[in-house]
Amino acid sequence: MDKLVLGGREFSSRLVVGTGKYQDFPTMKAALEASGAEMVTVAVRRVNLDRSKESLLDYIDPKKYFLLPNTAGCYTADEAIRAARLGREVGLSDWVKLEVIGDQATLYPDVQATLEATRVLVKEGFTVLPYTSDDVVFAKRLLDAGASAIMPLGAPIGSGLGIQNAANIQILREMITGVPLILDAGVGTASDATIAMELGADAVLMNTGIAGAQDPVRMAVAMKHAVIAGREAYLSGRMSKKLYATASSPLEGVVR
């Protein structure tokens, strides 16, 4: 089976899903199950870590899912570093989906602060998966800093706009070969996920595309199949595009 290898671990599913924005925890749990995902993200700053009251962690089986803490809501490198350390201290994981936001309106990443935090956390033994722009120059700097994946946005977080700059994703795919390339943010429907995979992404991470659907559980199923279809299409190698038609059946030997 074609598996995703990330941070030295193997995953059968190439769909990574978030746990925020659902109408309730039971819906979230059902959507996670329907997605077939093996890795789920948990916002360290938005979850009750002391378990003194009901938490989304009560609805996620750690034996079934690999928990990926994220630093959502952090606007400086120091904030993100503290959040990652907290996630490790309470036993979530020594992996971190690193987010350092640079602009509140667009939720675009502060790539310089992300780079700074990556350097610190890698030195502290974290497996760092940074949310970043689709800039190949910064992607290479993140790799030099020890990032275990490159996770460019397809469009602003929660926008559902789909991939807005396919050319940059293709460039990243060609340039980034040593670690997985994971499309992070902007997926609104199944076709967006398929396109990401057809462009060569190794995986897709999404939250709002499922949680914000009218039927999150059914959308989770759609996203599961979309990622699989896109991956298979990418590996198959699509036919070349032509300006004019080419007959499906050859004319040679046709009885006239």
Side-chain angles (χ1 to χ4, degrees):
M1 178 181 284
D2 176 44
K3 294 190 176 184
L4 171 68
V5 180
L6 179 61
R9 295 178 64 103
E10 287 189 350
F11 298 90
S12 296
S13 174
R14 291 175 179 270
L15 176 60
V16 184
V17 293
T19 52
K21 302 183 179 180
Y22 288 92
Q23 61 185 17
D24 52 49
F25 291 144
T27 300
M28 177 202 72
K29 181 180 179 180
L32 295 186
E33 293 175 353
S35 74
E38 297 167 282
M39 181 187 297
V40 299
T41 67
V42 177
V44 175
R45 299 186 65 183
R46 295 171 181 166
V47 68
N48 179 33
L49 296 174
D50 64 14
R51 311 302 284 272
S52 61
K53 58 182 179 180
E54 186 178 57
S55 163
L56 65 83
L57 294 176
D58 296 319
Y59 291 82
I60 303 174
D61 183 354
K63 297 179 181 179
K64 184 175 181 180
Y65 301 105
F66 182 81
L67 296 182
L68 176 62
N70 72 42
T71 61
C74 294
Y75 284 82
T76 68
D78 286 343
E79 285 181 346
I81 291 167
R82 285 197 298 271
R85 289 169 176 165
L86 176 60
R88 180 164 65 180
E89 287 170 8
V90 298
L92 287 180
S93 181
D94 59 0
W95 287 41
V96 61
K97 181 201 168 188
L98 180 62
E99 294 182 31
V100 186
I101 301 302
D103 179 70
Q104 194 165 14
T106 63
L107 299 183
Y108 264 55
D110 182 331
V111 289
Q112 184 60 46
T114 300
L115 180 60
E116 293 171 10
T118 297
R119 287 173 175 152
V120 171
L121 293 172
V122 167
K123 288 179 181 178
E124 294 183 6
F126 282 89
T127 296
V128 181
L129 314 179
Y131 161 67
T132 184
S133 67
D134 56 11
D135 183 336
V136 70
V137 174
F138 257 98
K140 289 180 177 180
R141 290 177 183 173
L142 287 167
L143 287 181
D144 290 340
S148 294
I150 297 298
M151 303 177 65
L153 76 167
I157 292 173
S159 68
L161 288 172
I163 297 173
Q164 294 297 292
N165 198 333
N168 277 12
I169 301 301
Q170 287 181 294
I171 290 171
L172 283 168
R173 174 67 293 164
E174 290 184 10
M175 298 289 189
I176 305 302
T177 57
V179 301
L181 178 67
I182 303 175
L183 188 88
D184 181 9
V187 171
T189 191
S191 58
D192 298 332
T194 299
I195 290 170
M197 297 302 291
E198 287 179 348
L199 289 172
D202 292 295
V204 178
L205 193 156
M206 66 183 72
N207 187 173
T208 314
I210 295 176
Q214 294 183 29
D215 186 337
V217 178
R218 178 166 284 186
M219 183 60 83
V221 174
M223 293 299 190
K224 172 184 176 180
H225 292 296
V227 168
I228 293 172
R231 178 65 177 176
E232 290 299 309
Y234 174 72
L235 294 177
S236 299
R238 65 156 291 146
M239 62 170 284
S240 58
K241 295 181 180 180
K242 302 176 182 178
L243 184 59
Y244 297 101
T246 301
S248 297
S249 300
L251 298 178
E252 292 81 4
V254 173
V255 177
R256 298 182 184 278

